[in-house]
Amino acid sequence: MSGAAFELKNINVHYGYARALEQVSLVVRPGEVVALLGDNGAGKSTLLKVMSGAHVPTAGELFVSGERVHFKSPRDASASGVQMVYQDLALVEAMDIAGNLMLGRERLMHGPLGWLGFLDRKAMRRESQRELDALGVRTAPVTRSVEMLSGGQRQVIAIARSSARLPEHGVLLMDEPTAALGHEQTELVESLIRTLAARGVSIVVVTHNLPLASAVSDRIVVLNRGRKVADVPTGETDKDTVVGWITGASVQAGVLQH
């Protein structure tokens, strides 16, 4: 489909006789937020792993900006402009915010000290602050240790780190970004998702939080037992209908696609 930032066609994932995903197709457009919903065991995490390069599908095709890709690892996905924010965040708690944001992108000092591997922490902090300012993020000083942050602040830092590694109009995948967060902390994450989408980032959010899905998504996609049973603009459905798709009560009505 033209104009797609990320497209999956007829994805299958089989583990022997067990079928985790069956003929799942999905299109994510530039700047679009897609909420991927489903009960436990529906296939959400498996699909996210296929998109992030952690799983190689048994069959099916993946396209990034119209170009067919073959992800054999998360590194391949990252090279194609796809970043994943994992549920465990993968932050280094003993390191400060700047160190976490620049992880894998560290800046070395100039001259002999740089040759010896000494980091230019001032430059890293300045760059980290610029990146947070560009996203409108006001969490804590970039010198603060991650272990001193709240759950919401940590989630925002993890999202900001992944988004900083994206090319223009990249794709960001999120696995349960508001799990165990309170209302105010969830609002921090919601605000950042909207900011990134407004900048053209395509976002897929796996969540059990239906209010979050309604608040930030342009489209809701529901999986049930490894199959896509609904694909509909968020404004054209309601909570009861979505719950029916998730539980399987409305699956007999057929797949809704837009």
Side-chain angles (χ1 to χ4, degrees):
M1 183 178 293
S2 62
F6 202 166
E7 182 175 7
L8 294 85
K9 288 185 177 179
N10 302 320
I11 296 297
N12 292 277
V13 175
H14 298 169
Y15 302 107
Y17 292 107
R19 299 186 175 189
L21 293 174
E22 192 71 18
Q23 296 293 304
V24 175
S25 296
L26 176 65
V27 172
V28 188
R29 298 172 182 85
E32 183 178 40
V33 181
V34 174
L36 184 59
L37 310 179
D39 209 348
N40 292 332
K44 306 183 305 299
S45 294
T46 302
L47 187 60
L48 212 61
K49 287 175 181 177
V50 169
M51 298 177 76
S52 67
H55 273 7
V56 177
T58 306
E61 299 174 301
L62 286 76
F63 298 84
V64 174
S65 299
E67 297 291 329
R68 188 176 180 183
V69 294
H70 300 274
F71 294 161
K72 295 182 179 180
S73 69
R75 185 184 297 272
D76 292 342
S78 179
S80 293
V82 180
Q83 289 285 335
M84 173 80 175
V85 182
Y86 294 95
Q87 192 169 350
D88 65 3
L89 304 183
L91 296 175
V92 182
E93 294 201 357
M95 194 177 288
D96 63 16
I97 291 175
N100 273 277
L101 284 173
M102 299 298 295
L103 200 63
R105 302 182 296 140
E106 291 85 356
R107 301 289 181 262
L108 296 177
M109 297 186 72
H110 296 291
L113 291 179
W115 303 339
L116 294 173
F118 283 85
L119 299 180
D120 189 341
R121 299 191 183 279
K122 288 184 178 180
M124 290 167 61
R125 288 166 181 165
R126 287 195 299 269
E127 186 165 347
S128 296
Q129 191 62 62
R130 284 196 297 269
E131 291 175 353
L132 293 177
D133 288 345
L135 293 172
V137 172
R138 300 287 185 271
T139 53
V142 295
T143 53
R144 182 167 299 175
S145 172
V146 164
E147 62 190 355
M148 302 296 292
L149 302 180
S150 69
Q153 289 173 322
R154 293 183 190 204
Q155 185 64 252
V156 165
I157 294 305
I159 295 171
R161 181 178 65 184
S162 292
S163 66
R165 301 177 184 184
L166 288 173
E168 188 176 5
H169 303 310
V171 179
L172 188 62
L173 311 174
M174 300 184 188
D175 187 9
E176 297 288 357
T178 60
L181 297 186
H183 177 70
E184 290 186 5
Q185 296 176 338
T186 296
E187 286 187 335
L188 281 176
V189 176
E190 289 181 5
S191 177
L192 184 50
I193 290 174
R194 292 192 189 96
T195 298
L196 290 169
R199 292 174 58 175
V201 175
S202 304
I203 302 173
V204 177
V205 183
V206 167
T207 182
H208 282 93
N209 187 334
L210 295 186
L212 172 72
S214 297
V216 302
S217 71
D218 301 296
R219 196 153 47 87
I220 286 176
V221 173
V222 182
L223 298 182
N224 186 288
R225 298 184 181 181
R227 290 181 175 272
K228 186 174 76 171
V229 297
D231 187 338
V232 61
T234 304
E236 296 182 13
T237 188
D238 55 46
K239 179 182 177 181
D240 290 341
T241 303
V242 172
V243 170
W245 287 323
I246 292 172
T247 61
S250 302
V251 170
Q252 297 304 318
V255 179
L256 298 184
Q257 294 184 320
H258 292 258

